[in-house]
Every structure is written in structure tokens, then in C-alpha cells.
Amino acid sequence: MSAISTALYGQADHDLAPSASDAVQLSPFIVGSTDLASVADESFSAVTVRAPAGAVERRFVLAQALRILAPGGRLTAFAPKDRGGLRLKKELQALGCEVGESARRHNRICLVVRPSEITGLKEALASGAPRRISDDGLWTQPGVFSWDRLDAGTNALLQVLPPFAGVGADFGSGIGILALNVLASPKVTKLTLVELDHRAVEVSKRNVTDPRADFVWGDVRQAELKDLDFIVSNPPFHEGGGEDKTLGQAFITSAAGALRKGGTLWIVANRHLPYEAILGESFAKVRLVGEGSGYKVFEARK
């Protein structure tokens, strides 16, 4: 890869940090992008990073971005003040950078030139790399949804899931926890795990080794699955740093389109999320299976 090229991590924002139209995309949330960790050292002359909110993930991404810069290469990193932006300058300084900082639209924008030596590079890369959870031995990675603990919503769904049969899917499959439960039923013939975060897809392949499992790096809203017998889902409801109720509603619509007549969707949601109406519009029969600890679980039959 030529060191004259440029790269971008995350969605571009040309008002905060202009990036080239042909920049190589490195974000795990954009289907078809290049894996940041797989890029060779000193590959790019400039890298722009929309820095993630999580501290361990952010330091990992910043360290990777510096690693892949050619000598004298430029890194531009930006983030909202309340989602890591206030810490960007100190974090880059800790990696050995001299930092120029500015503010715009409630974001902090940091500009650095790659230092001759990146301080603490190995430690930053190791802290954000894939790892195993000590409690259950599953693979995970900082930045993946609920990467270091069992999500309460997933747990609520696990408590009530029945044994399944036939062909199904896990929409928003994460590291594969729901899939492992579903595949415990010998009557399941195939399960497709659909997940937008490429890091989650890769660790789920380590966690779910059952030959009946198929993995799709993609957006559930564009999934092209049909005639499924069942779907399980703990859909996201945040995008771009804010709550977005339409995400879960879109998951429900997509599930209705992917199921055969008589097929079932098992879905969990935070209690305050307004999914009842879209479930009623999309399915012939909807049943509240359980409610408690801030969550509600529905079975919806097409």
C-alpha cells in the first residue's frame, strides 16, 4: 500500500475535519471497510479519526492510526466534548504527540504529526485487542456492544427463549451469546448471525463454531433473508451517540419481511421504547412474554 494515500476511521464530517474523497475507510461499522488492525505500518500519509467514546477503544484506535502513518504523516482526530473529546489531547500526548487543538460545534479537534517514537504503543494495542472473558471464556473486544459483561437485555431474553426448530436468524448478533443458546436445540437446521460491527462478527466466529451457523457482516435493515422460521433479536437503540427509537422499529420491520407466514420473532427492548405499535402493525399476533428489571420481551407471530 502506498504511503501517499489517506485513510478515514468513521463517518466523515468535512466541517470538523476534511478528508479526501478517496480515503480508505477503516471503520468496523461500515460494511466492506478495511480492518484497521490489518493495515501495515507506515501505510498512509494522513489519517482522519472520528474517535469512539469508550476510553480503551479510543486509545486503541488512536494508537493504530499513529502506527499506520508514514514518518511525518498527519493525524486528525475529533470527538464531541462529552464523548471523549475533552480527553483527546491528553491521550495523544501520552502517546508521544505534540498536539494542536481547536474546538467547533461542541467537538474537540486534535491535529498531530506522527512522532518518531509512539510512547506505549504495544500497551495501547494490547489493551484494545480481542480477548477472552475470564468468566465464560468467550472472545470479545473493547468497543463491541457490552463487550465486558452480559447485557441485561440479552439476559432477559435468554431467560424465556424456547427451544427452536428450523431455519432462523439472530438480528444484531453481537459476540454470539444468543446464537449459542439457540443452537443448543438440535432441531435448528441453520442460524444466520447478522451483525454490523465487523469486530463482533470476527469474535463471534471464534465463539460459535457450530457448522449450522452462518455469519453475515451487514446491516439488518438491508438483510436479504426470506422464509425464516424464527428470529431472535436484542436490537440497538443508539446511533451516532444519541438514542434512536427507529433503529429497533426498523429491525422489527426487517424481521417481518424475513419470516415466513407463521414464523416468530423473539425480541427484547428497554421498557420505555415504543415497539408495541410497530409490532402490532407488522405481525398477526403479539404476546408480552416477560417484563422486569427495565426490560420487556415479546413474541410476535407473522
Side-chain angles (χ1 to χ4, degrees), residues 51-63 79 83-84 87-88 91:
V56 177
E57 177 191 8
R58 185 173 58 251
R59 187 164 182 256
F60 173 80
V61 170
L62 294 174
R83 293 181 60 79
R87 294 183 288 276
L88 269 180
E91 290 168 342

Side-chain angles (χ1 to χ4, degrees), residues 142-164:
V144 170
F145 171 69
S146 196
W147 69 272
D148 58 350
R149 66 195 182 282
L150 175 62
D151 171 65
T154 298
N155 186 53
L157 190 51
L158 285 171
Q159 301 308 309
V160 296
L161 285 182
F164 290 102

